[in-house]
Amino acid sequence: MSNTNKKDTVEMNRDPITGTPGSHPVGTGLGSAGGAAVGAVTGALFGPIGMLVGGTIGAIAGGAAGHAAAEQVDPTGEVEYWRKNYSTRPYVDPKRSFDTDYQPAYQYGVTSRNTLKDRRWDDTLESDLERNWATTRANSTLNWDEARSAVRDAWDRTDRTYTAYDTTDRYYATKFANADYRDPSFSEDDYRSAYRYGTYARSAYAGRNWDDKLESDLGAGWEKFKGNSKLSWEKAKAATRDAWHSIERKLPGDADNDGR
C-alpha cells in the first residue's frame, strides 16, 4: 500500500456503529449488477430494497451528514470489507496478494464510483478506467484484464449502497408526514439520518432481531452516524426501528411478514 493510501486509511471515518475500521458484515455480494438494473431500482417502490440490503451495503463516510453531492461511501470500510471477502470471488488468483495486488483495484472501484456519480458502468466508462489504471495501480501486478472484475465488484457494491440510501430517502419522504413518532420540532432532514441508520443496521446486523440489546448497541453508535441530525437517540430510535422492520419485511425468510 502506498504512503498516500496509508494516510487515507488512518484519516477515514470508522464504521458508524462499532467505531472500528471496516467492520462491515461478511456476506456474499450480488456480483455485477448492470447500471441499468440498479438505476431502475432507484425510482421503484420500496420492495426491491430487500435485494439491495440482502447483498450487503456499506456506510456513508461521516454518517448521513450533508446532501447527496457531498456524500461518499467510506473507502476505508469498503477496502476492509473486500479484505474479508475477496478470497470468495471467482476471479481471484490465490497466488496474488490482497494488499499489493487486489486492494488497489477495489479502492479504485470505490473511489471511481464516488467521483463519477452521474455515470453508469458501460463500455465508455470501462475504457476510461482502463486508461487510468496504469497511474492508479500502485504496486499491483494485475494488468487491466486481471483487475477489471475486482474494480467492477467494488463499483457495483458502492453503487448498491448509494441506491439503497436513495431508495430509503424516497420511500420515507412519502411516509414521514404521517409517522406517529414524528416530532414537529424536528425536520425531515433530521429523521432522514435515522431512516438511513435503520437501513444500514439491517444490513450490518443481518443475523440479529430487534431487541433491547440491539437497540442499546445502535444507541451507542448513533452519535457517530447521525451527522447533522439534531435528534437524540430517544427521538431517533422509532424511525430507525421503522426502517429496520420495513426492510426486514422485504427480505427472504420473513414468511409471516412481521419484520422479525
Side-chain angles (χ1 to χ4, degrees), residues 78-117:
E78 292 303 288
V79 167
E80 292 307 312
Y81 169 86
W82 288 111
R83 184 188 301 279
K84 295 175 182 178
N85 290 279
Y86 86 108
S87 62
T88 67
R89 309 308 287 167
Y91 52 78
V92 168
D93 179 350
K95 296 179 182 178
R96 261 32 194 277
S97 160
F98 177 83
D99 289 315
T100 300
D101 296 314
Y102 287 101
Q103 184 268 349
Y106 288 122
Q107 184 163 327
Y108 187 38
V110 176
T111 56
S112 295
R113 178 60 186 86
N114 277 339
T115 303
L116 305 173
K117 295 180 183 295

Side-chain angles (χ1 to χ4, degrees), residues 139-205:
N139 295 322
S140 176
T141 64
L142 302 179
N143 60 38
W144 174 249
D145 287 341
E146 295 168 322
R148 176 193 176 280
S149 293
V151 175
R152 178 72 187 270
D153 240 359
W155 172 287
D156 284 342
R157 179 176 144 88
T158 304
D159 197 48
R160 187 161 61 248
T161 296
Y162 279 118
T163 303
Y165 287 132
D166 184 68
T167 305
T168 297
D169 293 349
R170 289 169 182 261
Y171 178 77
Y172 283 105
T174 67
K175 304 291 184 183
F176 172 71
N178 298 317
D180 58 8
Y181 48 75
R182 178 190 175 196
D183 183 335
S185 302
F186 299 95
S187 70
E188 183 179 344
D189 286 342
D190 292 320
Y191 280 92
R192 182 178 294 113
S193 294
Y195 294 133
R196 289 183 173 192
Y197 195 38
T199 299
Y200 175 83
R202 186 58 188 81
S203 175
Y205 290 108

Side-chain angles (χ1 to χ4, degrees), residues 3-13 75-76 107 111:
N3 289 337
T4 299
N5 289 340
K6 287 180 180 178
K7 182 174 184 290
D8 289 345
T9 299
V10 170
E11 293 181 348
M12 259 318 152
N13 290 341
T76 300
Q107 184 163 327
T111 56

Side-chain angles (χ1 to χ4, degrees), residues 201-217:
R202 186 58 188 81
S203 175
Y205 290 108
R208 295 178 62 176
N209 294 319
W210 189 284
D211 54 21
D212 291 345
K213 179 63 167 64
L214 176 65
E215 189 171 299
S216 176
D217 290 344

